Amino acid sequence: MRELERLPFEDLGFARLDHHRALRRGFPEVVFGLGKTPEQVATIVERLAMLQDRVLVTRTTQEALARVQERVPDAVYHDAARLIVVDRRRDAPKFPGVAVLCAGTADLPVAEEAAMTAELMDCAVERIYDVGVAGLHRLLSQLDKLRKARVLVVVAGMEGALPSVVSGLVAAPVIAVPTSIGYGTSFNGVTALLSMMNSCSPGVSVVNIDNGFGAGYLAATILRAGQPEG
Amino acid sequence: MRELERLPFEDLGFARLDHHRALRRGFPEVVFGLGKTPEQVATIVERLAMLQDRVLVTRTTQEALARVQERVPDAVYHDAARLIVVDRRRDAPKFPGVAVLCAGTADLPVAEEAAMTAELMDCAVERIYDVGVAGLHRLLSQLDKLRKARVLVVVAGMEGALPSVVSGLVAAPVIAVPTSIGYGTSFNGVTALLSMMNSCSPGVSVVNIDNGFGAGYLAATILRAGQPEG
Amino acid sequence: MRELERLPFEDLGFARLDHHRALRRGFPEVVFGLGKTPEQVATIVERLAMLQDRVLVTRTTQEALARVQERVPDAVYHDAARLIVVDRRRDAPKFPGVAVLCAGTADLPVAEEAAMTAELMDCAVERIYDVGVAGLHRLLSQLDKLRKARVLVVVAGMEGALPSVVSGLVAAPVIAVPTSIGYGTSFNGVTALLSMMNSCSPGVSVVNIDNGFGAGYLAATILRAGQPEG
Amino acid sequence: MRELERLPFEDLGFARLDHHRALRRGFPEVVFGLGKTPEQVATIVERLAMLQDRVLVTRTTQEALARVQERVPDAVYHDAARLIVVDRRRDAPKFPGVAVLCAGTADLPVAEEAAMTAELMDCAVERIYDVGVAGLHRLLSQLDKLRKARVLVVVAGMEGALPSVVSGLVAAPVIAVPTSIGYGTSFNGVTALLSMMNSCSPGVSVVNIDNGFGAGYLAATILRAGQPEG
Amino acid sequence: MRELERLPFEDLGFARLDHHRALRRGFPEVVFGLGKTPEQVATIVERLAMLQDRVLVTRTTQEALARVQERVPDAVYHDAARLIVVDRRRDAPKFPGVAVLCAGTADLPVAEEAAMTAELMDCAVERIYDVGVAGLHRLLSQLDKLRKARVLVVVAGMEGALPSVVSGLVAAPVIAVPTSIGYGTSFNGVTALLSMMNSCSPGVSVVNIDNGFGAGYLAATILRAGQPEG
Amino acid sequence: MRELERLPFEDLGFARLDHHRALRRGFPEVVFGLGKTPEQVATIVERLAMLQDRVLVTRTTQEALARVQERVPDAVYHDAARLIVVDRRRDAPKFPGVAVLCAGTADLPVAEEAAMTAELMDCAVERIYDVGVAGLHRLLSQLDKLRKARVLVVVAGMEGALPSVVSGLVAAPVIAVPTSIGYGTSFNGVTALLSMMNSCSPGVSVVNIDNGFGAGYLAATILRAGQPEG
Amino acid sequence: MRELERLPFEDLGFARLDHHRALRRGFPEVVFGLGKTPEQVATIVERLAMLQDRVLVTRTTQEALARVQERVPDAVYHDAARLIVVDRRRDAPKFPGVAVLCAGTADLPVAEEAAMTAELMDCAVERIYDVGVAGLHRLLSQLDKLRKARVLVVVAGMEGALPSVVSGLVAAPVIAVPTSIGYGTSFNGVTALLSMMNSCSPGVSVVNIDNGFGAGYLAATILRAGQPEG
Amino acid sequence: MRELERLPFEDLGFARLDHHRALRRGFPEVVFGLGKTPEQVATIVERLAMLQDRVLVTRTTQEALARVQERVPDAVYHDAARLIVVDRRRDAPKFPGVAVLCAGTADLPVAEEAAMTAELMDCAVERIYDVGVAGLHRLLSQLDKLRKARVLVVVAGMEGALPSVVSGLVAAPVIAVPTSIGYGTSFNGVTALLSMMNSCSPGVSVVNIDNGFGAGYLAATILRAGQPEG
């Protein structure tokens, strides 16, 4: 408790930066881009980049990047994944064990958001894309890779059946990510989410629709849960 | 139109019996048991049994059966499937081609409702039960039977993934039946239904939750669609 | 199983093409356009068109067509139905028996998507449009055509009552397609879908909202279910 | 306004009786039985029966009746319609023009609730039951009766298609009453209600699920709207 | 039935015009503009205007009007109400008895849609606008006008409380029209609709969200229900 | 923060009693009865009653009371309000200013739960019951009492219109409590809640369905907000 | 009642201005901008500004401001809060006791809407922003300010957990404001609203999603509830 | 693939036992009790107990236990957790690192289901119960235990805020389990689930409502993900 009380943060007026987070949670504060003005994003990134060797902004825009790069020129935008990344580490070691799967080509942006987040958190990622259940042999041909993974992120829209099928084939935990791909009763991903929630195969948990970042982050913390220093 | 105008029915006050249905639709009127009193069911079955060689009551109860049997002693109740059946035909020929699958043991009553309905409508039914996607090899071991079917009824609760997977393996039409098996966000079958609606594999259509009767009926009409006399 | 294992597919990185599908399912892989970039669509179509005599892209755009035509000049876009079609067969025989109905003029694009899909799958299609239940005589005047069909696709928005009424008049299976036509509590087609799901007339099954393609595909597989070679 | 201010009511502590309602609204206060204890119902009925020649209690129970009859011996319970009625008028004239239709036998209790309410409000009621759209000829055979009605109450569960079809055949206003009959995605009548709300035929309005009383009451006020004294 | 069979309609390919509707339903066919192309609307209006003295198009656009006026120059567009009207009658008599109320200024377009529809159907309309329940005295000052009406259309968004309050003050039937005005949990009018559905005051029925046309149409049929020739 | 750290609580294994709550929040910990076994409730009440002069258990049962009274004989059960109360204060002063209104007799139990909670928290409560909007004069006759209140709790089911109307008449804050009274589309109180959420009159906030306790508690804290010592 | 009857309002045709509201409710009529044309807003503001020293327009636009300023040049637009304000009072005293908290930077516009509304109603407001529960120490560092407040407005999107946590730390009433910040299953603020509705800490009530104005207004009435003159 | 093909299972007619699961997934097949008859459960347990040293049945009943114990006398029923357990291992080593938290006493059964499942899967479990966010100091006093855990299962009903708060304090992954505890808008746990889905703190994933088993299973697989042999 005493520790908690002394935690440092910095008040920018519209935001309080949590500089202690890397210590407390093992990864520096991530900037949630949604609902922030480009100017606010730029101010936050600039300040964080002074104190951290990595900065991650999620759900952001090209417009925000423009403002960020005026102040932090080495910031990079990953289009499909909607991420701004500053990464000043060199040759950071990557720990293997994360596999990211997606059911269809249209799920790729969310899968990339997950994969890139995990990579920024020191994971080596195996990508296995377009292996939806309508053509089962495409998935079954990857069985060896699936079984080698220590944690699997499985991204799917529409009926969201892939995580159940994958989980039935492996012993490792599966993080299911519903995507908003679909139409009509896909309800922007709600159907996929509900389907994943009701997986008949235990060992599956679910994050919010299109939340590739959250899945990648969680995969990294799971991988780390097994490291010597936790 | 003129034909329509002359269609006979019989007014019991609380019900109008559609004696023409067998001609018009190829199968005599089916009695929907829900919301009818046992007395009403019994009166209707008695009247239909005078004119038809088969009577089917769906979603009914033991209590209704008791009243029916007082008047139609050869009526039989199928417990799990909640059906009352009168069948006075002898050695009616069965046309092969219908397969009924279910994902789990708990889906069995609905699967039986489908299978028995199709059988009463002159289909030979192949039953393939407890082949849910969490243990894919159980399903794949039945591949030959799946491919022989001309129409497949696939019954599943929870995440409802089985019809997508099955449909991806066969060329024949798949009728998906969601069941109310599950808890929490299964929402009494709604999740399974939505999942089936959003199948990434074309060739799947869906009937109401727990509507085994509807699926069996439809399977029989599809089988018949290919018969010489349609 | 051994067969499944050897199934060929082709990995484009962002997509795995299922070249075996025509054998397994009776129709080559269909490209689901939603969420794919025009470039991705074009690359897939180009590759498929090398190996198949027919290619179908659903839910696509004019923009995607432009990219496709640079590589596959004989690709055609059907505007209302949002389909890109490549069809190099000549005088392919059409099997009669599919009727496509719609309730109102606004349902026409979805009805066309169904009709054109079935036609590409070798069906001759009878179109019966604008026969909604508010003016019953318009429907009843088509009774002969309805009764000749071996499978009926019935497209309707708003209250979605047409499939129930049609099914009550025929013996053949009815595939109901809800459309997103309506406002307020039509909830973009959900009301029509629910209505169709609860049809008081057996023999009706339902596909996703605006899923004309799925209905047409299913109609063709049903028609084929009755062909000598299934 | 001054008039409103002087309106009389009587405070029973747990209820305020609106003795002015017959004047203001043309019908004495109706007792909504839901959530009231039998004792409360009995106290209210006793008091109203001292001042009015008619008392109506809706959504009530046999148990409440028992308590009521101790104090108002001529109170009558209508089982299916869940109504307690006190009617001390003799040979009250009935004005013709209300037709009550229902789609299936299971909708009968709600239809009776509507019919009996309208009768208590001086309407002569034509009952037309079990005329659902799956057997259209049953409805069409009643066309003459439908066209004679000045207002139609149409009761239906499941897909709720009957009001649209009826409204397309007549010029008079249609009051649609969804019932909770059905299962699965009928959602206890919500589907029927939504379907009725989206009728493609103008001239239809909707009351709450199973609200036979409300429909009967409204039909009577509509009939009265055309009487010389309004 | 025989009558029904002989009903005339005209097939435009994409639409079947129901020329018999004025006879059957008392008002010529109304054109539902939603989902129709401007060209389709224009073709239909042109054809109807040849045979009828009034044409009404609902939920239409300026763009459609432009196309219509090329062929039917006397067509008029009412902006707020989204109606195209052709009215070639002169000095048609108006029958008094319809009152249209709305709760707030923002509900005015829907109220106008109702009022103008009723006027086109020969009703004189009393408009009483911006009388929401937050300032009750504004409503109570109009009590005399309310009581003179034979049918009331009450339009409200947000919590949709106005119809209950109005219905408690009058004997005439109330048609409640929810509007999509509001934000957050108003859910585009669903809250207002549900509120109206559950009115504690009998004599209220509800039409679809923003369905001013339907309410005005229904009001006219109710008014007519009391005319000598019904 | 340091203060927070030292806060005392007592660990019973299945529960941690927050003995500091009276100091921190101005009222001792309230026991939420739902989901607790009678034995658990009794153990908690016994322990709290040793240290506090008042104990309140909400959403509890007769069965729990029996177990409680074995250990705390002066515990009292209030049936309709589902409260167990221990109150050992004598002649505690009551501060006036809380009015509790309800729309119908069926809302009375929730209203009593609110009133009794506020009374236990030192408020004098004015009860104004059965003043629903269908008979506005019943409410308007209480205008003086309404205007004297410093905070109003307004309880209503069905369409939940009462809080809007009341709020429009007074300057004081209104706490709206939806009840689960109703049927069909009342959705067990959801409609009333949504309606209250969308009140066109500012100054209204809402608590959970049937949460009389929460409303009474909040009313007491609001009244206290204006006391000299807050 | 007599008082109510004589209440003045002014009829602009499309709006009735409630000039009595300041007397009745303690604050002049607020203009709800949603769904009003700029012209309507301007006309209303102009008229109100003749009679009042403060005018507030909520949910409005830059475009409306332009029209307003032509007629009322001292009107000011607050961008994030979407408010137009006219305030001609000088040095109006502010009463302390309102704290406005928000969970994240993206919730700031709604928080400002609340704060500015309360300020216009004579409250001094303590702003405490970006104190979401993911970094608890940021909130706990503000404990002194929280405990000094007599009423707290707590604004949060996503999971909406902040009001529960804050309420557990203070004795004063908490007004929870859900915001539409989030994605996927945040359902535009519905999740935050439901979460707040189910707070395990009593003393919390909720207003509509993004309804900063309503929360600020309510906070002012609560503060006033404790003033000598109420 | 070849491996998959040879996987053994055993067909009981109503169920196919997946004897290979322990090898494939690291834990023998778990019996899902819901929807199975006691007889079916007993038959399955008997068969599994012949081949495995542990058997787990979830969501089962006392009645099922009775039938099981006739055949497998050492089966034990855990009441609150609804589990039947057969465990014939002696002194199986337990790996530390799983913490199970719950917000309230009523969440205890689900927490126990999680804890006991993890224990059966070789985890040592730290239980931290009744630490809901309304009394934050109860949670903060356990900070050391929280930080020692390698994976945390956090169980909560009502507003479901606990997982967000816990996740903000630790680096390890958090598995959130919503419970059906609550009333009204808690919607049987849906609100808690949505809240958890939208956690503002990354590192949280969610399982189905009341799915303690799934959470415990997943926690064990995560713990194992870090073991030398995965």
Side-chain angles (χ1 to χ4, degrees), chain C residues 132-136 139-140 157-161 164-165 167-169 182-187 190-191 194-202, chain D residues 132-136 139-140 157-161 164-165 167-169 182-187 190-191 194-202:
Chain C
V133 300
L136 220 48
L139 174 68
L140 295 180
M158 303 184 80
E159 84 270 62
S164 282
V165 171
S167 168
L169 297 168
Y183 60 92
T185 54
S186 87
F187 296 131
V190 172
T191 290
L194 292 175
S195 177
M196 292 166 175
M197 270 287 153
N198 287 278
S199 173
C200 57
S201 173
Chain D
V133 300
L136 220 48
L139 175 68
L140 295 179
M158 302 184 81
E159 85 270 62
S164 281
V165 171
S167 168
L169 298 168
Y183 61 92
T185 54
S186 89
F187 296 130
V190 172
T191 292
L194 292 175
S195 176
M196 292 166 175
M197 268 290 154
N198 286 277
S199 173
C200 57
S201 173

Side-chain angles (χ1 to χ4, degrees), chain H residues 184-220:
Chain H
T185 53
S186 88
F187 296 130
N188 300 314
V190 172
T191 291
L193 183 145
L194 292 175
S195 177
M196 292 166 174
M197 270 288 154
N198 286 278
S199 174
C200 57
S201 173
V204 178
S205 66
V206 189
V207 297
N208 199 357
I209 297 165
D210 290 337
N211 189 5
F213 159 68
Y217 187 103
L218 183 59

Side-chain angles (χ1 to χ4, degrees), chain E residues 133-134 136 140 158-159 161 164-165 168-169 183-187 191 194-201, chain F residues 133-134 136 140 158-159 161 164-165 168-169 183-187 191 194-201:
Chain E
V133 300
L136 219 49
L140 295 180
M158 302 183 81
E159 84 269 62
S164 282
V165 171
L169 297 168
Y183 60 93
T185 54
S186 88
F187 296 131
T191 291
L194 291 175
S195 177
M196 292 166 175
M197 270 288 154
N198 286 277
S199 174
C200 58
S201 173
Chain F
V133 300
L136 218 49
L140 295 180
M158 303 183 79
E159 84 270 62
S164 281
V165 171
L169 297 168
Y183 61 92
T185 54
S186 88
F187 296 130
T191 291
L194 291 176
S195 177
M196 292 167 176
M197 269 289 153
N198 287 277
S199 173
C200 56
S201 173

Side-chain angles (χ1 to χ4, degrees), chain H residues 144-208:
Chain H
D144 281 351
K145 286 187 200 163
L146 298 184
R147 296 221 167 133
K148 268 186 208 138
R150 283 170 177 251
V151 55
L152 300 100
V153 173
V154 183
V155 181
M158 304 183 80
E159 85 269 61
L162 190 57
S164 281
V165 171
V166 168
S167 168
L169 297 169
V170 302
V174 168
I175 306 166
V177 191
T179 68
S180 51
I181 292 302
Y183 60 92
T185 53
S186 88
F187 296 130
N188 300 314
V190 172
T191 291
L193 183 145
L194 292 175
S195 177
M196 292 166 174
M197 270 288 154
N198 286 278
S199 174
C200 57
S201 173
V204 178
S205 66
V206 189
V207 297
N208 199 357

